[in-house]
DNA sequence: ACCACTAATTGGGATGAACT
DNA sequence: AGTTCATCCCAATTAGTGGT
């Protein structure tokens, strides 16, 4: 799918100079970086060494520096200079127009009544991951940390249909639906690299109270979004 | 009052059966 | 084969409720 990441340099306006002096961040490295941030939050001791350990080819210094760049971008977003994470998807839907290195909402999109944008399988799987971590009812955090392309209301609506389907009768008669997916299969997420060594170990996901399966060179689950605190 | 969430409703797209 | 119609599914919206 078309995931985007706040660390994507596509929309960054701040740091092209420094970038040229350092080794480039690949798409894969950015994905690992994002996932690691989602797992090791600010409360985690030795956060940056933990994050670096999950990002192939990057040092503790580099991941920390990348984080500082991201904070700058987040500040831009909060100042209204950039749209929120997930905007690359919107760009691809022609809802936002780039102008220079900024993004602007398409006027035509606002004026029309929004038609439903189907949930992708990947979004649904992220929803399920969010459900495991944050639990039922915390749609805000599920939206913020897992399904960044959907608002909390959209997540709640999706959950409503999901649970309704789980409890409905006559399942054999129904058409197949995305809501039939009830488990998280990492091999089905587009962020999971197939050629990873999948020997695993358990770690504790911060603030979640649950254990998260972490593979030696990958993560069992990979939320595409993270929060930057402070 | 405001915010967040749930439940119910609405409108539209997709699908498949029935009919010509 | 093409059209019509009923049904299913789903995202978005609205109303109601509870907590702060």
């Amino acid at each position: 799918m078309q995931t985007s990441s706040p660390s994507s340099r596509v929309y960054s306006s701040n740091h092209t100079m420094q970038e040229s002096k350092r080794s480039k961040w690949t798409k894969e490295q950015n994905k690992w970086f994002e996932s690691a941030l989602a797992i090791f939050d600010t409360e985690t001791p030795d956060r940056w060494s933990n994050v670096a350990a999950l990002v192939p080819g990057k040092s503790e210094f580099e991941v920390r520096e990348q984080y500082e760049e991201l904070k700058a971008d987040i500040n831009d977003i909060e100042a209204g200079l950039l749209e929120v994470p997930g905007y690359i998807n919107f760009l691809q839907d022609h809802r936002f127009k780039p102008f220079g290195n900024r993004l602007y909402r398409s006027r035509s999109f606002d004026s029309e009544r929004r038609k439903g944008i189907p949930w992708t399988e990947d979004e649904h799987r992220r929803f399920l991951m969010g459900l495991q971590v944050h639990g039922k009812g915390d749609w805000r955090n599920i939206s913020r940390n897992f399904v960044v392309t959907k608002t909390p209301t959209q997540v709640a609506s999706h959950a409503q249909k999901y649970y309704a389907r789980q409890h409905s009768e006559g399942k054999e008669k129904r058409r197949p639906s995305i809501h039939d997916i009830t488990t998280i299969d990492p091999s089905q997420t587009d962020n999971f690299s197939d050629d990873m060594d999948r020997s695993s170990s358990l770690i504790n996901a911060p603030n979640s109270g649950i254990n998260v399966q972490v593979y030696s060179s990958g993560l069992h689950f990979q939320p595409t979004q993270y929060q930057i605190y402070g």
Side-chain angles (χ1 to χ4, degrees):
Chain A
M1 67 159 206
Q2 334 115 21
T3 50
S4 63
S5 93
S7 55
S8 165
R9 299 293 90 198
V10 170
Y11 62 91
S12 174
S13 60
N14 298 331
H15 309 284
T16 43
M17 295 273 291
Q18 299 95 310
E19 199 174 47
S20 61
K21 284 187 270 180
R22 305 194 323 254
S23 65
K24 283 207 165 172
W25 281 72
T26 66
K27 202 172 168 184
E28 276 302 307
Q29 284 171 328
N30 270 322
K31 284 178 180 177
W32 292 123
F33 176 64
E34 293 162 17
S35 302
L37 281 178
I39 292 169
F40 304 113
D41 72 356
T42 53
E43 308 298 314
T44 308
D46 300 323
R47 185 189 192 193
W48 299 117
S49 59
N50 281 322
V51 170
L54 289 180
V55 182
K58 291 294 177 185
S59 66
E60 186 177 335
F61 174 79
E62 286 175 299
V63 296
R64 190 165 192 157
E65 197 172 44
Q66 180 79 340
Y67 176 80
E68 292 304 323
E69 290 188 14
L70 287 173
K71 271 211 302 193
D73 283 338
I74 296 296
N75 287 338
D76 278 356
I77 289 167
E78 287 176 348
L81 300 172
L82 286 176
E83 271 298 339
V84 294
Y87 40 78
I88 301 301
N89 296 11
F90 291 117
L91 259 184
Q92 290 173 344
D93 285 345
H94 309 291
R95 290 168 202 166
F96 291 94
K97 309 279 184 204
F99 184 79
N101 50 17
R102 301 295 189 207
L103 302 176
Y104 295 89
R105 196 179 244 288
S106 165
R107 192 175 278 268
S108 61
F109 177 72
D110 275 339
S111 58
E112 70 188 60
R113 187 191 181 278
R114 294 183 61 174
K115 276 199 314 186
I117 304 160
W119 280 60
T120 65
E121 196 174 309
D122 191 60
E123 284 173 326
H124 179 67
R125 289 181 196 285
R126 291 179 196 294
F127 161 77
L128 293 175
M129 293 171 193
L131 216 48
Q132 281 193 4
V133 174
H134 295 295
K136 185 179 178 181
D138 195 355
W139 314 127
R140 182 186 175 90
N141 276 320
I142 292 174
S143 165
R144 183 181 296 170
N145 298 327
F146 287 86
V147 197
V148 299
T149 52
K150 302 290 181 185
T151 66
T153 300
Q154 287 174 314
V155 172
S157 176
H158 185 73
Q160 184 179 353
K161 298 300 176 184
Y162 171 70
Y163 286 115
R165 190 171 177 96
Q166 300 308 305
H167 295 116
S168 67
E169 301 295 329
K171 292 183 178 183
E172 63 285 345
K173 285 183 62 178
R174 298 176 314 195
R175 297 204 313 233
S177 154
I178 195 168
H179 294 294
D180 293 333
I181 301 170
T182 59
T183 56
I184 304 162
D185 178 358
S187 67
Q188 298 295 309
T189 63
D190 65 351
N191 276 352
F192 203 95
S193 178
D194 286 340
D195 55 3
M196 295 291 182
D197 170 11
R198 300 188 178 190
S199 59
S200 62
S201 60
L202 279 172
I203 65 162
N204 199 275
N207 300 330
S208 69
I210 69 162
N211 287 325
V212 176
Q213 192 84 7
V214 177
Y215 293 85
S216 63
S217 57
L219 303 174
H220 194 119
F221 78 87
Q222 289 201 297
T224 56
Q225 190 47 35
Y226 52 86
Q227 284 181 276
I228 294 177
Y229 301 92

